């Protein structure tokens, strides 16, 4: 079935295809939620061996949707029915903004990879807040991924994050600080210890919500470890690794802007995650994202120390059955290795 949907969608410009998916999933969820239940039965894996309690929230299984697919939190019910165990919506900025000029989203089907330069196109805090007020608390954990507006100068960036944390405090289960997108000029410069320590210190004063740091895979591993250490010392509840890469040498035909994701990112992201986990496994919650497209890859990240994994690009290329396949595959691999519960597998390689 997804083969047919994909064939049609891949005839369209990637962003038009995404708009159609958003239109459909948001309306099905709103007007005919009963239609979703056959999908949920098919795609959502329920098995107590995969349940986890992390930062005060129960995750039914470890596979979630990476940030950027549901930027405006319009598709939550539909995406849950397609099998995701948690959804990270956003990136949300305080004010609505259109993002970068189009075209800004490119598929590479042969390489199962994506290049995007979206630039935090989103409806802005107030509209998204109103939407979330109708849904939250939600049936699965919701993460709010937050970033600064493009036009906010670096010296005012902290205020953008303060506004977002205050605004979303009662409308999500965790938040993720995004200073790792390559598509907002200057954003990655905020991946420095001065800013990160100020930001998490400020956050601790205004919220009890768990706040995680999402990082890019392009900095040296040692610098990333220092940055994560700094975030954790100042109150971060976990690390999400990684965002897209700006290493364009990974993909023949890549443009010289935006970020790469999917299969071409896999090795880089996995190695980066491994380096982070080597230092921080057992000290905080780790989420691995980047090039995950199978149960084997998800399980490898779990053995390396990931409590949760997220997918984005592979969802486009393989469809929602990937959620079921990854979870069922993880259960088989746990059987093979003699783990009864996922908690025994997490970090088993450490
Ligand atoms: C089109 C697109 C838009 C994205 N937008 C965001 C975003 O707004 N915020 C964010 O933190 N990550 C964003 N990402 C990054 C993903 O969440 C994820 O970290 C990255 O794509 C690597 O995972 P993947 O290889 O499974 O796609 C985006 C990725 C894509 C492909």
């Amino acid at each position: 079935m997804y083969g047919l949907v994909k064939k049609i969608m891949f005839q369209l410009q990637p962003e038009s295809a995404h708009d159609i998916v958003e239109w459909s999933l948001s309306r099905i969820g709103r007007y005919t939620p009963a239609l979703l239940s056959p999908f949920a039965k098919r795609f959502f894996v329920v098995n107590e061996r995969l349940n986890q309690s992390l930062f005060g929230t129960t995750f039914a299984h470890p596979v979630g949707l990476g940030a950027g697919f549901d930027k405006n939190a319009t598709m939550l019910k539909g995406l849950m029915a397609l099998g995701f165990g948690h959804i990270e919506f956003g990136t949300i900025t305080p004010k609505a903004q259109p993002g970068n000029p189009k075209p800004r989203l490119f598929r590479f089907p042969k390489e199962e990879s994506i290049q995007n330069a979206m630039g935090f196109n989103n409806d802005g805090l107030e509209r998204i807040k109103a939407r979330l007020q109708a849904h939250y608390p939600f049936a699965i954990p919701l993460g709010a991924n937050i970033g600064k507006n493009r036009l906010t100068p670096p010296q005012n960036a902290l205020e953008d994050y303060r506004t977002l944390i205050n605004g979303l405090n009662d409308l999500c289960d965790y938040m993720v600080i995004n200073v790792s997108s390559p598509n907002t000029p200057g954003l990655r410069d905020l991946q420095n210890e001065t800013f990160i320590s100020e930001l998490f210190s400020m956050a601790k004063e205004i919220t009890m919500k768990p706040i995680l740091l999402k990082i890019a895979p392009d900095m040296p591993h040692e610098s990333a470890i220092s940055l994560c250490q700094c975030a954790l010392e100042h109150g971060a509840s976990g690390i999400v690794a990684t965002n897209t890469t700006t290493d364009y040498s990974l993909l023949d035909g890549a443009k010289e802007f935006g970020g790469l994701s999917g299969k071409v990112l896999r090795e880089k992201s996995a190695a980066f995650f491994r380096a982070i986990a080597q230092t921080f496994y057992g000290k905080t919650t780790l989420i691995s994202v980047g090039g995950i497209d199978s149960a084997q890859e998800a399980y490898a990240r779990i053995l390396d120390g990931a409590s949760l994994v997220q997918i984005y690009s592979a969802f486009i290329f393989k469809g929602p059955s990937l959620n079921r396949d990854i979870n069922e595959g993880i259960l088989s691999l746990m059987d093979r290795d003699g783990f009864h519960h996922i908690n025994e597998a997490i970090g088993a390689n450490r």
Side-chain angles (χ1 to χ4, degrees):
M1 172 68 176
Y2 187 68
L4 181 64
V5 172
K6 184 172 151 184
K7 216 171 188 169
I8 298 166
M9 288 299 179
F10 276 33
Q11 301 296 317
L12 305 171
Q13 289 297 322
E15 220 173 314
S16 310
H18 188 271
D19 291 346
I20 291 173
V21 169
E22 176 169 17
W23 191 90
S24 313
L25 285 181
S26 59
R27 273 155 190 82
I28 293 176
R30 199 171 342 144
Y31 301 121
T32 44
L35 273 186
L36 294 175
S37 122
F39 286 97
K41 283 203 179 95
R42 188 173 165 76
F43 297 122
F44 199 103
V45 172
V46 180
N47 187 315
E48 64 85 29
R49 295 173 67 199
L50 297 175
N51 288 178
Q52 290 179 77
S53 180
L54 297 167
F55 30 73
T57 304
T58 301
F59 290 75
H61 66 67
V63 186
L65 178 64
F69 189 89
D70 193 2
K71 287 185 185 279
N72 294 313
T74 54
M75 298 179 264
L76 301 174
K77 285 186 184 163
L79 290 166
M80 179 177 65
L82 296 183
F84 290 103
H86 68 278
I87 296 169
E88 199 172 301
F89 60 81
T91 297
I92 298 179
T93 55
K95 295 186 191 124
Q97 60 179 31
N100 291 324
K102 297 179 188 175
R104 54 191 180 178
L105 182 58
F106 310 89
R107 314 180 188 97
F108 293 81
K110 209 157 49 67
E111 295 81 1
E112 293 187 14
S113 297
I114 291 177
Q115 183 159 19
N116 95 83
M118 302 299 288
F120 295 169
N121 51 309
N122 79 107
D123 288 345
L125 177 62
E126 288 310 316
R127 277 185 70 189
I128 297 172
K129 243 173 83 173
R131 215 166 272 147
L132 288 166
Q133 273 153 356
H135 288 296
Y136 192 79
F138 195 56
I140 56 170
L142 296 181
N145 184 302
I146 57 178
K148 78 168 196 72
N149 275 114
R150 182 188 176 92
L151 294 179
T152 302
Q155 65 274 20
N156 297 344
L158 200 65
E159 286 314 304
D160 273 14
Y161 288 97
R162 188 197 304 276
T163 303
L164 290 157
I165 293 168
N166 276 326
L168 292 163
N169 194 34
D170 298 324
L171 296 169
C172 62
D173 297 291
Y174 69 94
M175 292 185 223
V176 176
I177 302 291
N178 185 355
V179 281
S180 52
S181 164
N183 300 317
T184 296
L187 189 77
R188 281 187 172 189
D189 297 341
L190 300 178
Q191 293 188 127
N192 71 71
E193 294 187 26
T194 308
F195 183 75
I196 291 300
S197 57
E198 271 176 22
L199 190 144
F200 280 96
S201 304
M202 171 274 286
K204 216 163 55 180
E205 279 172 18
I206 59 175
T207 181
M208 304 281 282
K209 277 278 144 147
I211 306 196
L212 288 74
L213 176 68
K214 183 168 181 179
I215 51 177
D218 298 313
M219 66 170 90
H221 291 176
E222 312 75 60
S223 316
I225 288 166
S226 302
L227 190 69
C228 293
Q229 183 69 42
C230 169
L232 296 172
E233 277 166 11
H234 290 87
S237 296
I239 306 293
V240 183
T242 68
N243 213 313
T244 56
T245 180
T246 52
D247 181 353
Y248 306 125
S249 69
L250 291 174
L251 179 65
D252 278 349
K255 327 250 170 229
E256 289 293 314
F257 57 86
L260 299 174
S261 59
K263 208 174 239 176
V264 294
L265 172 62
R266 190 202 288 152
E267 285 317 312
K268 189 178 182 99
S269 189
F272 195 92
F273 180 76
R274 223 173 289 126
I276 297 291
Q278 210 152 17
T279 306
F280 298 110
Y281 168 71
K283 300 190 178 130
T284 192
T285 300
L286 302 174
I287 303 181
S288 187
V289 51
I292 297 173
D293 60 354
S294 66
Q296 287 72 17
E297 188 60 30
Y299 189 66
R301 309 283 177 106
I302 288 168
L303 294 180
D304 277 342
S307 295
L308 301 172
V309 295
Q310 295 179 339
I311 57 175
Y312 188 142
S313 301
F315 176 57
I316 309 294
F317 294 109
K318 298 194 167 169
S321 58
L322 186 60
N323 283 320
R324 189 195 56 222
D325 293 346
I326 292 183
N327 279 301
E328 290 179 352
I330 289 173
L331 286 165
S332 303
L333 292 162
M334 283 165 51
D335 287 339
R336 182 197 69 186
D337 293 346
F339 298 128
H340 177 69
H341 193 272
I342 189 163
N343 285 341
E344 297 159 33
I346 294 166
N349 277 354
R350 295 274 136 243

